Amino acid sequence: MEKQRPPLGVMGGMPIVGHFSKNWENVKRFQAEEGDLVIDTYPKSGTTWISQIVDLILHHGDLKKPHSKTIFERVPFLEFAVPDMPTGTELLNARKSPGLIKSHLPVHLLPNTFWEKNCKVIYVARNPKDVLVSYYHFYHMAVVHPEPGTFEEFLQKFIEGKVSYGLWADHVKGWWKMRHQRDVLYLFYEDMLEDPKREIRKVMKFLGKDLSDDIMEKIHQCTTFKAMKEDYLVNYSTIPTSVMDNTISPFMRKGTCGDWKNYFTVAQNEIFDDYYKREMSDTDLTFRF
Ligand code: PPS
Protein backbone atom coordinates (compact mmCIF):
# COMPACT_ATOMS: atom_id res chain seq x y z
CA MET A 1 0.00 0.00 0.00
CA GLU A 2 1.34 3.41 -0.99
CA LYS A 3 1.12 6.03 1.69
CA GLN A 4 -2.00 8.22 1.51
CA ARG A 5 -1.49 11.96 1.39
CA PRO A 6 2.13 11.96 0.23
CA PRO A 7 3.86 15.34 0.30
CA LEU A 8 3.72 17.43 -2.88
CA GLY A 9 6.33 16.64 -5.51
CA VAL A 10 7.81 18.88 -8.17
CA MET A 11 7.16 18.97 -11.92
CA GLY A 12 9.18 21.40 -14.00
CA GLY A 13 9.86 23.47 -10.88
CA MET A 14 6.17 23.60 -9.90
CA PRO A 15 4.65 21.87 -6.85
CA ILE A 16 2.28 19.08 -7.79
CA VAL A 17 0.55 16.03 -6.26
CA GLY A 18 3.40 13.74 -5.22
CA HIS A 19 2.24 10.77 -7.31
CA PHE A 20 1.88 12.94 -10.43
CA SER A 21 5.47 14.14 -10.22
CA LYS A 22 6.68 10.59 -10.81
CA ASN A 23 5.05 10.53 -14.26
CA TRP A 24 6.60 13.78 -15.51
CA GLU A 25 8.98 12.07 -17.94
CA ASN A 26 6.02 10.37 -19.67
CA VAL A 27 4.14 13.65 -19.83
CA LYS A 28 7.13 15.37 -21.43
CA ARG A 29 7.50 12.51 -23.93
CA PHE A 30 3.80 12.48 -24.84
CA GLN A 31 3.05 13.00 -28.54
CA ALA A 32 -0.17 14.85 -29.36
CA GLU A 33 -2.12 14.19 -32.53
CA GLU A 34 -3.54 16.73 -34.91
CA GLY A 35 -7.12 17.26 -33.84
CA ASP A 36 -6.49 16.80 -30.12
CA LEU A 37 -8.25 19.46 -28.09
CA VAL A 38 -6.83 20.47 -24.73
CA ILE A 39 -9.02 21.63 -21.86
CA ASP A 40 -6.79 23.48 -19.47
CA THR A 41 -7.53 25.19 -16.17
CA TYR A 42 -6.03 25.99 -12.83
CA PRO A 43 -7.65 23.33 -10.55
CA LYS A 44 -11.23 23.91 -9.39
CA SER A 45 -12.09 26.39 -12.14
CA GLY A 46 -14.76 24.43 -14.03
CA THR A 47 -12.75 21.73 -15.84
CA THR A 48 -15.37 19.01 -15.48
CA TRP A 49 -18.17 21.35 -16.48
CA ILE A 50 -16.50 22.55 -19.68
CA SER A 51 -15.34 19.00 -20.47
CA GLN A 52 -18.92 17.76 -20.40
CA ILE A 53 -20.09 20.69 -22.53
CA VAL A 54 -17.38 20.14 -25.14
CA ASP A 55 -17.92 16.40 -25.30
CA LEU A 56 -21.66 16.88 -25.77
CA ILE A 57 -21.08 19.46 -28.50
CA LEU A 58 -18.73 17.11 -30.33
CA HIS A 59 -21.39 14.38 -30.10
CA HIS A 60 -24.14 16.75 -31.26
CA GLY A 61 -25.84 16.51 -27.87
CA ASP A 62 -26.25 12.75 -28.23
CA LEU A 63 -26.31 11.52 -24.66
CA LYS A 64 -25.86 7.85 -25.40
CA LYS A 65 -22.45 7.97 -27.03
CA PRO A 66 -20.57 10.28 -24.69
CA HIS A 67 -22.43 8.94 -21.69
CA SER A 68 -21.21 5.40 -21.92
CA LYS A 69 -18.02 6.23 -20.03
CA THR A 70 -17.00 8.41 -17.10
CA ILE A 71 -15.67 11.89 -17.73
CA PHE A 72 -12.18 10.84 -16.64
CA GLU A 73 -12.18 8.12 -19.31
CA ARG A 74 -13.66 10.33 -22.04
CA VAL A 75 -11.33 13.23 -21.28
CA PRO A 76 -8.08 11.67 -20.00
CA PHE A 77 -6.11 13.83 -17.60
CA LEU A 78 -2.62 14.22 -19.08
CA GLU A 79 -0.53 14.40 -15.93
CA PHE A 80 -2.73 12.12 -13.79
CA ALA A 81 -0.86 9.29 -12.06
CA VAL A 82 -1.90 7.48 -8.88
CA PRO A 83 -1.19 3.92 -7.73
CA ASP A 84 -3.45 1.19 -9.11
CA MET A 85 -5.08 3.29 -11.82
CA PRO A 86 -4.03 3.82 -15.43
CA THR A 87 -2.08 7.03 -15.82
CA GLY A 88 -3.28 9.83 -18.08
CA THR A 89 -0.50 9.15 -20.56
CA GLU A 90 -1.33 5.42 -20.63
CA LEU A 91 -4.97 6.17 -21.42
CA LEU A 92 -4.00 8.71 -24.06
CA ASN A 93 -1.39 6.51 -25.71
CA ALA A 94 -3.98 3.71 -26.01
CA ARG A 95 -6.50 5.88 -27.87
CA LYS A 96 -7.34 5.12 -31.46
CA SER A 97 -8.11 8.67 -32.57
CA PRO A 98 -7.48 12.23 -31.43
CA GLY A 99 -9.81 13.59 -28.79
CA LEU A 100 -10.17 15.62 -25.64
CA ILE A 101 -7.36 15.97 -23.12
CA LYS A 102 -7.62 17.52 -19.67
CA SER A 103 -4.65 19.28 -18.14
CA HIS A 104 -3.98 21.73 -15.34
CA LEU A 105 -0.50 22.58 -16.59
CA PRO A 106 0.52 26.22 -16.72
CA VAL A 107 1.20 27.41 -20.25
CA HIS A 108 4.99 27.20 -19.95
CA LEU A 109 4.84 23.53 -18.93
CA LEU A 110 2.38 22.27 -21.54
CA PRO A 111 4.49 20.02 -23.79
CA ASN A 112 5.42 21.63 -27.09
CA THR A 113 3.89 18.75 -29.04
CA PHE A 114 0.45 20.39 -28.65
CA TRP A 115 1.64 23.55 -30.42
CA GLU A 116 3.55 21.58 -33.06
CA LYS A 117 0.30 19.78 -33.91
CA ASN A 118 -1.69 23.03 -33.89
CA CYS A 119 -4.03 21.75 -31.19
CA LYS A 120 -6.82 23.99 -29.99
CA VAL A 121 -7.05 24.83 -26.29
CA ILE A 122 -10.05 25.83 -24.21
CA TYR A 123 -9.00 27.53 -21.00
CA VAL A 124 -11.40 28.31 -18.13
CA ALA A 125 -10.50 30.73 -15.36
CA ARG A 126 -12.41 31.35 -12.11
CA ASN A 127 -12.08 34.04 -9.48
CA PRO A 128 -9.36 33.00 -7.04
CA LYS A 129 -11.40 33.36 -3.86
CA ASP A 130 -13.89 30.73 -4.99
CA VAL A 131 -11.04 28.65 -6.42
CA LEU A 132 -9.37 28.73 -3.02
CA VAL A 133 -12.52 27.63 -1.15
CA SER A 134 -13.21 24.87 -3.67
CA TYR A 135 -9.57 23.77 -3.55
CA TYR A 136 -9.61 23.70 0.26
CA HIS A 137 -12.54 21.26 0.22
CA PHE A 138 -10.93 19.30 -2.61
CA TYR A 139 -7.70 18.90 -0.63
CA HIS A 140 -9.80 17.28 2.11
CA MET A 141 -11.61 14.85 -0.18
CA ALA A 142 -8.92 14.13 -2.78
CA VAL A 143 -6.70 12.28 -0.38
CA VAL A 144 -3.72 12.21 -2.75
CA HIS A 145 -3.05 15.77 -1.55
CA PRO A 146 -1.29 16.61 1.70
CA GLU A 147 -3.49 17.68 4.62
CA PRO A 148 -4.73 21.21 3.87
CA GLY A 149 -4.41 22.42 7.49
CA THR A 150 -6.76 25.15 8.70
CA PHE A 151 -8.45 27.44 6.19
CA GLU A 152 -6.09 30.21 7.30
CA GLU A 153 -3.06 27.99 6.68
CA PHE A 154 -4.37 26.89 3.30
CA LEU A 155 -5.03 30.50 2.28
CA GLN A 156 -1.42 31.32 3.07
CA LYS A 157 -0.17 28.33 1.05
CA PHE A 158 -2.36 29.33 -1.89
CA ILE A 159 -1.03 32.89 -1.88
CA GLU A 160 2.54 31.60 -1.74
CA GLY A 161 1.90 29.07 -4.52
CA LYS A 162 2.69 26.18 -2.20
CA VAL A 163 -0.27 24.11 -3.42
CA SER A 164 -0.48 21.64 -6.29
CA TYR A 165 0.00 23.56 -9.59
CA GLY A 166 1.59 26.50 -7.84
CA LEU A 167 0.68 30.13 -8.28
CA TRP A 168 -2.87 30.82 -9.46
CA ALA A 169 -2.01 34.30 -10.78
CA ASP A 170 0.85 33.08 -12.97
CA HIS A 171 -1.40 30.37 -14.38
CA VAL A 172 -4.29 32.61 -15.42
CA LYS A 173 -1.97 35.39 -16.68
CA GLY A 174 0.23 32.99 -18.64
CA TRP A 175 -2.71 31.55 -20.55
CA TRP A 176 -4.26 35.02 -20.97
CA LYS A 177 -1.14 36.12 -22.89
CA MET A 178 -1.15 32.97 -24.98
CA ARG A 179 -4.73 33.46 -26.21
CA HIS A 180 -3.63 35.79 -29.01
CA GLN A 181 -0.64 33.74 -30.08
CA ARG A 182 -2.34 30.37 -30.45
CA ASP A 183 -5.79 28.90 -30.97
CA VAL A 184 -6.95 29.43 -27.39
CA LEU A 185 -10.52 30.11 -26.27
CA TYR A 186 -10.37 31.78 -22.86
CA LEU A 187 -13.54 31.46 -20.81
CA PHE A 188 -14.63 32.45 -17.31
CA TYR A 189 -16.53 30.29 -14.84
CA GLU A 190 -18.59 33.30 -13.73
CA ASP A 191 -19.68 33.97 -17.34
CA MET A 192 -20.72 30.33 -17.67
CA LEU A 193 -22.88 30.69 -14.57
CA GLU A 194 -24.34 33.99 -15.73
CA ASP A 195 -25.38 32.87 -19.20
CA PRO A 196 -24.54 29.24 -19.91
CA LYS A 197 -26.12 29.22 -23.37
CA ARG A 198 -24.10 32.23 -24.48
CA GLU A 199 -20.90 30.49 -23.38
CA ILE A 200 -21.93 27.16 -24.96
CA ARG A 201 -22.46 29.08 -28.21
CA LYS A 202 -18.94 30.52 -27.95
CA VAL A 203 -17.55 27.01 -27.58
CA MET A 204 -19.60 25.76 -30.53
CA LYS A 205 -18.26 28.57 -32.70
CA PHE A 206 -14.70 27.85 -31.61
CA LEU A 207 -15.19 24.19 -32.54
CA GLY A 208 -16.80 25.10 -35.87
CA LYS A 209 -20.12 23.45 -34.91
CA ASP A 210 -23.47 24.89 -35.83
CA LEU A 211 -26.02 22.96 -33.79
CA SER A 212 -29.77 23.51 -33.64
CA ASP A 213 -31.46 25.32 -30.76
CA ASP A 214 -32.97 22.01 -29.62
CA ILE A 215 -29.56 20.37 -29.33
CA MET A 216 -28.24 23.45 -27.66
CA GLU A 217 -31.06 23.31 -25.10
CA LYS A 218 -30.33 19.64 -24.47
CA ILE A 219 -26.65 20.36 -23.89
CA HIS A 220 -27.57 23.14 -21.50
CA GLN A 221 -29.97 20.90 -19.54
CA CYS A 222 -27.38 18.13 -19.24
CA THR A 223 -24.70 20.47 -17.94
CA THR A 224 -26.52 22.34 -15.18
CA PHE A 225 -24.95 21.88 -11.76
CA LYS A 226 -27.95 19.82 -10.60
CA ALA A 227 -27.80 17.49 -13.61
CA MET A 228 -24.07 16.97 -13.28
CA LYS A 229 -24.22 16.46 -9.51
CA GLU A 230 -26.70 13.63 -10.03
CA ASP A 231 -24.82 12.03 -12.93
CA TYR A 232 -22.42 9.34 -11.69
CA LEU A 233 -20.52 9.53 -14.98
CA VAL A 234 -19.38 13.06 -14.23
CA ASN A 235 -19.62 13.50 -10.45
CA TYR A 236 -16.52 11.42 -9.63
CA SER A 237 -18.50 9.13 -7.30
CA THR A 238 -17.06 6.06 -9.04
CA ILE A 239 -13.40 6.97 -8.60
CA PRO A 240 -11.67 4.85 -5.88
CA THR A 241 -11.91 6.38 -2.43
CA SER A 242 -8.12 6.07 -2.20
CA VAL A 243 -8.09 8.98 -4.69
CA MET A 244 -11.27 10.96 -3.91
CA ASP A 245 -13.61 10.39 -1.00
CA ASN A 246 -16.94 12.01 -1.79
CA THR A 247 -18.21 11.30 1.73
CA ILE A 248 -15.68 13.85 3.05
CA SER A 249 -16.87 16.54 0.63
CA PRO A 250 -18.67 15.96 -2.66
CA PHE A 251 -16.75 16.77 -5.85
CA MET A 252 -19.88 18.59 -7.07
CA ARG A 253 -19.98 20.76 -4.00
CA LYS A 254 -21.88 24.04 -4.55
CA GLY A 255 -21.24 25.28 -8.08
CA THR A 256 -21.81 28.95 -7.29
CA CYS A 257 -20.03 32.29 -7.38
CA GLY A 258 -19.34 34.05 -4.10
CA ASP A 259 -19.21 31.08 -1.72
CA TRP A 260 -15.91 32.57 -0.49
CA LYS A 261 -17.95 35.06 1.55
CA ASN A 262 -18.94 32.16 3.81
CA TYR A 263 -15.28 31.37 4.56
CA PHE A 264 -13.11 34.50 4.47
CA THR A 265 -12.85 36.63 7.60
CA VAL A 266 -12.58 40.38 7.07
CA ALA A 267 -8.85 40.18 7.85
CA GLN A 268 -8.27 37.28 5.45
CA ASN A 269 -10.17 39.16 2.76
CA GLU A 270 -7.88 42.18 3.19
CA ILE A 271 -4.79 40.00 2.93
CA PHE A 272 -6.19 38.34 -0.16
CA ASP A 273 -7.20 41.63 -1.80
CA ASP A 274 -3.66 42.93 -1.28
CA TYR A 275 -2.24 39.80 -2.86
CA TYR A 276 -4.68 40.07 -5.77
CA LYS A 277 -3.86 43.74 -6.39
CA ARG A 278 -0.13 43.01 -6.28
CA GLU A 279 -0.27 40.04 -8.64
CA MET A 280 -2.77 41.48 -11.10
CA SER A 281 -1.34 44.99 -11.43
CA ASP A 282 0.54 44.07 -14.62
CA THR A 283 -2.39 42.65 -16.60
CA ASP A 284 -5.73 43.73 -18.08
CA LEU A 285 -7.22 40.39 -17.01
CA THR A 286 -10.00 40.94 -14.45
CA PHE A 287 -12.31 38.71 -12.43
CA ARG A 288 -15.78 38.92 -10.99
CA PHE A 289 -16.18 37.85 -7.39
S1 PPS B 1 -10.81 19.72 -10.89
O1 PPS B 1 -10.68 18.74 -9.78
O2 PPS B 1 -9.76 20.74 -10.83
O3 PPS B 1 -10.88 19.10 -12.21
O4 PPS B 1 -12.19 20.46 -10.58
P1 PPS B 1 -13.02 21.35 -11.61
O5 PPS B 1 -13.94 20.50 -12.37
O6 PPS B 1 -12.12 22.28 -12.34
O7 PPS B 1 -13.86 22.28 -10.62
C1 PPS B 1 -14.80 21.79 -9.70
C2 PPS B 1 -15.72 22.95 -9.34
O8 PPS B 1 -16.62 23.18 -10.45
C3 PPS B 1 -17.96 23.06 -9.97
N1 PPS B 1 -18.83 22.55 -11.05
C4 PPS B 1 -19.87 23.25 -11.54
N2 PPS B 1 -20.33 24.48 -11.27
C5 PPS B 1 -21.43 24.88 -11.93
N3 PPS B 1 -22.09 24.14 -12.86
C6 PPS B 1 -21.65 22.90 -13.18
N4 PPS B 1 -22.30 22.18 -14.07
C7 PPS B 1 -20.49 22.41 -12.50
N5 PPS B 1 -19.79 21.25 -12.56
C8 PPS B 1 -18.79 21.36 -11.67
C9 PPS B 1 -17.82 22.10 -8.80
O9 PPS B 1 -18.96 22.11 -8.00
C10 PPS B 1 -16.58 22.67 -8.13
O10 PPS B 1 -16.80 23.93 -7.52
P2 PPS B 1 -17.25 24.12 -5.99
O11 PPS B 1 -17.15 25.60 -5.73
O12 PPS B 1 -16.32 23.33 -5.13
O13 PPS B 1 -18.68 23.65 -5.91
Side-chain angles (χ1 to χ4, degrees):
M1 272 277 281
E2 294 247 6
K3 195 169 131 233
Q4 263 197 357
R5 297 198 177 277
L8 293 179
V10 180
M11 214 184 219
M14 174 191 74
I16 195 159
V17 169
H19 297 308
F20 291 14
S21 63
K22 297 183 187 140
N23 200 39
W24 184 219
E25 285 310 311
N26 288 324
V27 173
K28 282 198 290 187
R29 263 200 299 271
F30 176 72
Q31 288 301 305
E33 285 182 46
E34 261 171 50
D36 278 337
L37 190 144
V38 180
I39 290 170
D40 200 293
T41 62
Y42 188 84
K44 313 322 289 176
S45 302
T47 331
T48 317
W49 189 8
I50 194 70
S51 297
Q52 180 74 340
I53 289 173
V54 172
D55 201 25
L56 282 164
I57 291 175
L58 293 178
H59 287 88
H60 294 205
D62 183 344
L63 291 181
K64 275 185 249 97
K65 273 187 241 154
H67 261 234
S68 54
K69 286 185 180 166
T70 62
I71 196 77
F72 45 93
E73 290 164 308
R74 286 182 275 138
V75 189
F77 179 9
L78 179 64
E79 58 276 11
F80 182 81
V82 299
D84 307 323
M85 280 186 79
T87 63
T89 46
E90 279 167 356
L91 288 176
L92 288 165
N93 290 330
R95 292 175 316 172
K96 297 205 172 51
S97 51
L100 303 178
I101 302 176
K102 161 180 168 175
S103 177
H104 290 311
L105 289 175
V107 72
H108 69 283
L109 290 183
L110 190 78
N112 219 16
T113 177
F114 292 102
W115 305 129
E116 286 162 2
K117 301 284 163 53
N118 295 313
C119 296
K120 290 186 177 195
V121 179
I122 297 180
Y123 186 83
V124 184
R126 185 182 190 185
N127 86 69
K129 293 181 184 175
D130 283 327
V131 166
L132 167 61
V133 169
S134 182
Y135 215 176
Y136 177 64
H137 288 90
F138 189 61
Y139 252 63
H140 280 285
M141 69 85 79
V143 292
V144 292
H145 294 88
E147 288 287 353
T150 62
F151 183 72
E152 173 97 17
E153 285 163 350
F154 192 72
L155 184 142
Q156 209 50 49
K157 281 184 219 160
F158 184 88
I159 285 178
E160 291 167 12
K162 292 182 179 159
V163 292
S164 187
Y165 293 97
L167 291 161
W168 169 87
D170 285 358
H171 207 287
V172 293
K173 287 192 293 185
W175 278 103
W176 183 245
K177 274 195 192 140
M178 189 52 105
R179 81 195 191 288
H180 288 320
Q181 295 160 37
R182 301 281 184 177
D183 219 352
V184 177
L185 177 68
Y186 200 107
L187 300 173
F188 295 90
Y189 180 91
E190 293 75 20
D191 292 349
M192 291 168 64
L193 276 180
E194 181 183 69
D195 191 344
K197 289 190 196 169
R198 178 190 64 207
E199 300 307 302
I200 295 172
R201 257 183 227 110
K202 272 188 207 167
V203 179
M204 275 166 38
K205 187 160 176 248
F206 182 68
L207 300 176
K209 296 274 178 196
D210 188 13
L211 305 178
S212 69
D213 286 351
D214 281 359
I215 295 181
M216 162 82 182
E217 184 57 37
K218 210 161 135 185
I219 295 173
H220 168 47
Q221 291 307 329
C222 293
T223 53
T224 62
F225 179 72
K226 187 172 180 293
M228 288 185 58
K229 190 176 172 68
E230 287 165 4
D231 183 350
Y232 74 96
L233 293 167
V234 295
N235 66 14
Y236 282 93
S237 57
T238 61
I239 204 156
T241 50
S242 57
V243 182
M244 290 185 198
D245 187 341
N246 275 275
T247 63
I248 297 176
S249 174
F251 183 91
M252 296 289 170
R253 198 182 56 88
K254 280 206 181 159
T256 57
C257 174
D259 189 36
W260 62 269
K261 291 174 192 153
N262 298 316
Y263 290 87
F264 282 56
T265 62
V266 172
Q268 286 166 349
N269 197 32
E270 278 171 11
I271 292 169
F272 203 90
D273 283 345
D274 281 348
Y275 148 80
Y276 183 83
K277 250 189 238 146
R278 215 171 39 244
E279 291 297 329
M280 304 302 277
S281 61
D282 59 350
T283 176
D284 59 346
L285 171 61
T286 55
F287 284 86
R288 294 195 280 161
F289 293 85

